[in-house]
Amino acid sequence: MEGAQSPRPRDPMSGAQPLGLILRDGSRVGIVGGGPAGSLTAYFLLTFAQRVGLDLGVDIYEPRDFTTAGPGGCNMCGGIVSESLVQAMAMEGIDLPPTVVQRGLDSYVLHTDRRRVRVDTPLGEKRIAAVHRGGGPRDVLAVKWGGLDGHLLNLAQDRGAKVAAARVAEVGWDGGRPQIRLKTTVRTYDLVVGASGVNSAGWQLFEQLGVRGTRPRTTKAYITELHLGDDAVSGLFGTSMHMFLLDIPRLDCAAIIPKGDYLTVCLLGQDIDRELVTAFFESPVVRRCFPAGWQVEEGACHCSPKINVGAASRPFADRVVLVGDCGVTRLYKDGIGAAYRTAKAAAGTAIFRGVAAGDFRHHYWPTYRAIARDNAFGRLIFALVHGVKAFPPLLRGTLAMAADEHLASGPARRMSIVLWDTFTGSAPYREIFFRTLDPRFVGRLLWHSARAWNGAADTTGRYEGAKEAGHG
Ligand SMILES: Cc1cc2nc3c(=O)[nH]c(=O)nc-3n(C[C@H](O)[C@H](O)[C@H](O)COP(=O)(O)OP(=O)(O)OC[C@H]3O[C@@H](n4cnc5c(N)ncnc54)[C@H](O)[C@@H]3O)c2cc1C
């Protein structure tokens, strides 16, 4: 259903629009949540409606003011927009202006306890964007940027969506149609879209509206924004995303992402707690990235948001559909990309097919399930990463293979492409997994690992210490 372009199917006998639950002229859609999933659903609903000449009203309910700095304006995320999403949005005419993109990233640096290796965009044209989600960290002196969420919400408004600055706490039914009830107003809709993410009590609203099945599974992550100033951020971290493969229990993935004057530090794994955060910052591998004697400032903006690690089992009911994190997302990466895909597929179904549970099952669920199924490969890949971390020759072989590829170009950069796509979320996990089964990939990795076993690989590659790359 992704990218639905076809007109609504007509009855083959009469040529009439199907009866049943469909959106008609004057229909109204209420969207609970104005993060990326909610704003993009509004954007696509109104774009597709215009395409078929449908007069549609769309209200977005969003309590946050994305122009303010600090937690009140922020949807808590690493802020990497994958290149596949940058490209997909550009094809829809959705550009990310320089005021939103804090830094274009063209490489990543992989840090382990023995060495670090820089991997440039494997196929030349690749770029990813680092953004803030709101007005910036709470200690920011002046809000100089626009955040991604505010930008997408503005796009939806430009298309005609109305935004109500309110948190939805009550819903109900009115003659077979869902209602959103605020303190002073009650509105009846032809479709309610759930886009409330996983960091609020939004799900119980959708259960009241008839969505059955299990809620998304979540775990706790950690993010902090560190102010270093533009010169230090550029000098120490450049235009690279920094990934850390450290042997710290429960830590699956750690990243430092340079943005303007700040660094975003993002830790993902199983129930990240204070002990794990301290272990990360005290690790010598992390310490050597910062100036000598540097300490995390007391009071730095930080949060422990929940992250979706398992999809809700049934994301729809008659006249109700869930998009983005409150339904399904990509494991650890490219959640904004998943919000985009589910938003577009749900909006396409509602406009071109109908808003009954059966319509969402047939035309929205395939996109949704494809994301959930791909995460099974993601789990396999992160298990492999754990295995590689635990077996030093394999880890050294992995780094040596990536470093050795810097003179190669295109598909010959097998390890670089696998690592790039894994850490940036730029390709489906399934695709990445099957690339690691290629005999040429396995052969090269075993060869480098055997050399590492014999102590030879540590002299391979140009990025030992990464100083030549201008980092550190
Ligand atoms: C630590 C961490 C790092 C991440 N890093 C990245 C990354 O680098 N790149 C990436 O692509 N993804 C990343 N993600 C995932 C990404 O943040 C999410 O996938 C994405 O935000 C999902 O968008 P959404 O609109 O579904 O939900 P959200 O962004 O959570 O938005 C939900 C919105 O709903 C609103 N809301 C909630 N309840 C109500 C209510 N009752 N009434 C009205 N409004 C309501 C909230 O205020 C919020 O604005 C990360 C996530 C975490 C936790």
Side-chain angles (χ1 to χ4, degrees):
M1 188 62 233
E2 195 173 1
Q5 302 290 321
S6 56
R8 285 198 256 185
R10 290 173 180 274
D11 183 303
M13 302 301 287
S14 66
Q17 292 283 341
L19 295 173
L21 303 185
I22 62 165
L23 299 175
R24 303 162 196 276
D25 273 340
S27 286
R28 300 200 65 81
V29 180
I31 301 182
V32 182
S39 294
L40 288 166
T41 306
Y43 177 89
F44 284 119
L45 278 169
L46 290 160
T47 304
F48 294 153
Q50 193 185 34
R51 209 174 282 172
V52 293
L54 188 70
D55 175 21
L56 193 69
V58 176
D59 298 331
I60 301 176
Y61 294 86
E62 173 54 62
R64 288 184 198 276
D65 173 0
F66 297 123
T67 61
T68 60
C74 174
N75 267 329
M76 303 170 290
C77 147
I80 291 291
V81 181
S82 69
E83 70 223 47
S84 49
L85 178 58
V86 171
Q87 282 165 15
M89 290 202 297
M91 281 168 68
E92 297 290 345
I94 305 175
D95 284 326
L96 297 181
T99 46
V100 169
V101 178
Q102 292 302 308
R103 218 164 265 250
L105 303 181
D106 54 12
S107 53
Y108 64 82
V109 178
L110 205 52
H111 300 251
T112 68
D113 56 350
R114 290 180 74 109
R115 66 187 301 199
R116 49 186 166 183
V117 170
R118 176 177 150 150
V119 179
D120 291 295
T121 51
L123 298 176
E125 84 284 4
K126 292 189 168 190
R127 279 190 86 79
I128 49 179
V131 300
H132 281 298
R133 297 289 299 272
R138 70 172 168 218
D139 52 350
V140 73
L141 295 177
V143 176
K144 321 184 240 189
W145 321 288
L148 176 74
D149 292 31
H151 176 65
L152 297 178
L153 195 59
N154 287 342
L155 282 178
Q157 282 178 289
D158 289 347
R159 288 272 145 172
K162 304 256 181 314
V163 178
R167 178 173 296 280
V168 178
E170 210 186 323
V171 291
W173 287 95
D174 172 28
R177 293 195 300 154
Q179 267 188 342
I180 288 181
R181 299 172 182 162
L182 303 182
K183 273 197 189 116
T184 50
T185 52
V186 175
R187 267 237 148 97
T188 300
Y189 289 100
D190 298 281
L191 170 68
V192 164
V193 178
S196 58
V198 286
N199 281 289
S200 78
W203 236 85
Q204 67 199 41
L205 301 173
F206 314 131
E207 284 170 341
Q208 285 164 30
L209 289 177
V211 175
R212 302 279 169 255
T214 53
R215 294 182 179 198
R217 210 154 35 81
T218 60
T219 185
K220 214 161 67 170
Y222 177 83
I223 304 179
T224 185
E225 305 274 359
L226 307 175
H227 183 263
L228 258 75
D230 198 11
D231 288 348
V233 170
S234 301
L236 295 169
F237 295 89
T239 50
S240 305
M241 177 163 74
H242 292 251
M243 303 296 308
F244 295 81
L245 289 181
L246 304 178
D247 196 11
I248 298 178
R250 294 186 284 119
L251 182 65
D252 281 345
C253 184
I256 297 185
I257 303 147
K259 289 179 197 169
D261 298 343
Y262 282 84
L263 295 172
T264 300
V265 181
C266 197
L267 307 185
L268 304 175
Q270 282 94 57
D271 287 318
I272 310 282
D273 54 15
R274 181 182 281 264
E275 189 191 340
L276 198 155
V277 173
T278 307
F280 175 76
F281 279 112
E282 285 183 355
S283 149
V285 178
V286 176
R287 296 212 65 82
R288 76 179 177 212
C289 297
F290 290 89
W294 176 88
Q295 293 288 340
V296 177
E297 253 178 56
E298 279 293 320
C301 195
H302 68 279
C303 59
S304 298
K306 286 187 199 160
I307 188 164
N308 174 328
V309 290
S313 62
R314 196 171 189 272
F316 50 77
D318 280 345
R319 296 191 184 279
V320 184
V321 64
L322 307 186
V323 292
D325 271 22
C326 69
V328 68
T329 190
R330 291 194 65 204
L331 184 69
Y332 293 157
K333 302 282 157 194
D334 194 27
I336 302 165
Y340 169 92
R341 288 168 64 193
T342 52
K344 189 173 177 186
T349 302
I351 298 294
F352 299 115
R353 305 293 177 170
V355 295
D359 296 314
F360 290 120
R361 182 182 306 111
H362 286 114
H363 304 291
Y364 171 57
W365 216 18
T367 298
Y368 185 96
R369 269 189 315 196
I371 298 171
R373 283 186 183 147
D374 191 56
N375 286 341
F377 288 95
R379 271 179 213 102
L380 215 53
I381 287 174
F382 282 105
L384 284 176
V385 171
H386 272 296
V388 167
K389 277 197 303 189
F391 189 53
L394 211 49
L395 180 57
R396 275 182 268 145
T398 300
L399 296 188
M401 181 170 162
D404 204 36
E405 288 174 352
H406 73 274
L407 289 180
S409 59
R413 300 185 63 193
R414 291 189 176 82
M415 179 59 82
S416 309
I417 295 174
V418 162
L419 292 175
W420 177 268
D421 286 340
T422 303
F423 293 129
T424 61
S426 292
Y429 285 124
R430 183 177 190 277
E431 206 177 298
I432 300 170
F433 178 74
F434 282 111
R435 270 192 252 134
T436 65
L437 300 185
D438 184 323
R440 288 165 299 184
F441 178 93
V442 177
R444 298 283 305 161
L445 178 58
L446 290 178
W447 184 77
H448 279 287
S449 299
R451 277 168 55 88
W453 185 272
N454 293 323
D458 273 1
T459 57
T460 316
R462 64 176 173 152
Y463 289 117
E464 205 62 60
K467 280 214 163 64
E468 295 154 70
H471 301 287

